[in-house]
Amino acid sequence: MIFKRKLALRNYAVEIFLLIASLAIILPLLMMIFGSFMTSAEVTKFTIRLPDKWLFSNYVKVFQEGGLGRAFLNGIVITGVSSILNIVTSSAAAFILARRESKLSSYLYLFFFMGLIAPMSTITTIRVVQWMGFYGSVTSVIFIYAALNTAFSMFLYSGFIKSIPKVLDEVAFLEGANLFSVFFRIITPLIVPVNATVAIMVFMSVWNDITIPLYFLTDSSTWTMPLSVYNFYGKYSRDWNLIFADLVMTSLPVLILYLFAQKYIVSGLTAGAVKG
């Protein structure tokens, strides 16, 4: 009985701590949302309160002057193509490494896994992209995003593929199927839950990122939505109400995606991590 009481008190303490910690996210979020409807003078107080007058025109101004339509399309192209490229390459590589049990495959898996630990060197990557001849293009950003998310994707795919019986591969080979047929006709339909998880995780990480587009996209016409905030943030003037409105519109696609796809994230992470 005493043990149960201690356990209950500990659970209550943890819940209270988490509620207090969540304020670090909720309070700035409320400040951003309310501030996006305020005037430029009113928002500079940086207080959490309702606006005196709800200015929906801030969002219209941001959309028109900030070029959010073009930035939205740029973000969709970059996130979509990089997600597809990451899914195809990571799942294919994980299939080979999971099926071929050798020292080389183990070393290669550790090599990919190091990507979760080793940080990206921006200067070196810029030099490599310049040497390849597509620095400043959308293509460079797509390849970089696909490569950066490979380690995490490989971790999920390899864990799930190892749980798929090898007898399915052997039967397919006996029927005359080649390696590509086995992967695309047998393995690919079985890894759909992990595909959904990887697609969502890559989409959210790529969409919210500001560093790589800032360094690798030299033309502002190819900027994504997070970079559009610089249209209202300058050295001598800062329209915080428009900045907040821009940030709200930038966050909406990811928020909507997460609300509708969170069950796929949990199921995919469980399938890729626990089964492995």
Side-chain angles (χ1 to χ4, degrees):
M1 188 69 179
I2 298 176
F3 175 77
K4 291 183 178 180
R5 289 181 179 178
K6 290 183 178 180
L7 183 61
L9 290 175
R10 187 179 64 179
N11 292 336
Y12 287 136
V14 172
E15 291 178 359
I16 293 173
F17 172 78
L18 293 177
L19 288 174
I20 296 175
S22 65
L23 295 177
I25 299 175
I26 296 175
L27 295 181
L29 185 62
L30 291 176
M31 183 184 297
M32 180 182 70
I33 295 174
F34 293 152
S36 66
F37 294 97
M38 296 180 180
T39 62
S40 57
E42 186 181 3
V43 74
T44 53
K45 299 178 182 179
F46 294 104
T47 57
I48 302 175
R49 63 183 183 85
L50 296 176
D52 295 334
K53 183 179 180 181
W54 294 81
L55 298 178
F56 292 92
S57 59
N58 289 342
Y59 285 87
V60 178
K61 186 175 182 179
V62 163
F63 191 85
Q64 293 176 345
E65 298 183 4
L68 290 188
R70 181 177 57 192
F72 176 79
L73 293 178
N74 293 336
I76 290 295
V77 171
I78 292 174
T79 53
V81 177
S82 59
S83 298
I84 295 173
L85 184 61
N86 179 267
I87 289 172
V88 174
T89 55
S90 299
S91 60
F95 169 66
I96 298 298
L97 296 181
R99 287 298 192 249
R100 294 184 178 179
E101 298 179 357
S102 63
K103 290 185 177 180
L104 179 59
S105 61
S106 299
Y107 290 144
L108 288 176
Y109 178 78
L110 291 176
F111 174 78
F112 281 109
F113 190 75
M114 286 176 60
L116 293 174
I117 306 172
M120 171 186 167
S121 178
T122 305
I123 302 300
T124 306
T125 306
I126 290 176
R127 295 299 298 169
V128 171
V129 174
Q130 288 176 340
W131 175 75
M132 297 179 70
F134 49 80
Y135 175 72
S137 64
V138 173
T139 304
S140 64
V141 176
I142 291 174
F143 283 144
I144 291 171
Y145 278 133
L148 283 177
N149 291 278
T150 298
F152 179 75
S153 302
M154 285 280 295
F155 174 74
L156 293 181
Y157 280 121
S158 60
F160 188 83
I161 292 176
K162 287 179 181 178
S163 67
I164 300 176
K166 292 184 179 180
V167 67
L168 298 178
D169 304 0
E170 296 171 356
V171 171
F173 285 131
L174 291 175
E175 294 293 333
N178 55 29
L179 189 63
F180 291 97
S181 299
V182 172
F183 175 71
F184 286 106
R185 295 184 179 182
I186 297 178
I187 301 299
T188 299
L190 296 177
I191 60 175
V192 170
V194 186
N195 285 340
T197 302
V198 171
I200 296 167
M201 299 296 288
V202 173
F203 183 92
M204 291 193 297
S205 64
V206 172
W207 186 272
N208 290 325
D209 185 62
I210 191 173
T211 305
I212 293 177
L214 183 62
Y215 285 119
F216 291 89
L217 294 179
T218 56
D219 188 357
S220 60
S221 63
T222 59
W223 281 4
T224 56
M225 289 188 70
L227 285 180
S228 63
V229 71
Y230 285 104
N231 293 319
F232 311 103
Y233 186 94
K235 183 177 181 180
Y236 301 104
S237 63
R238 298 168 186 177
D239 299 321
W240 286 106
N241 56 335
L242 301 182
I243 291 173
F244 287 156
D246 189 290
L247 292 175
V248 170
M249 295 184 70
T250 302
S251 304
L252 278 179
V254 176
L255 179 61
I256 295 173
L257 177 66
Y258 181 80
L259 290 177
F260 285 98
Q262 57 181 331
K263 62 178 181 180
Y264 298 105
I265 297 177
V266 175
S267 61
L269 289 174
T270 304
V274 176
K275 289 187 178 182

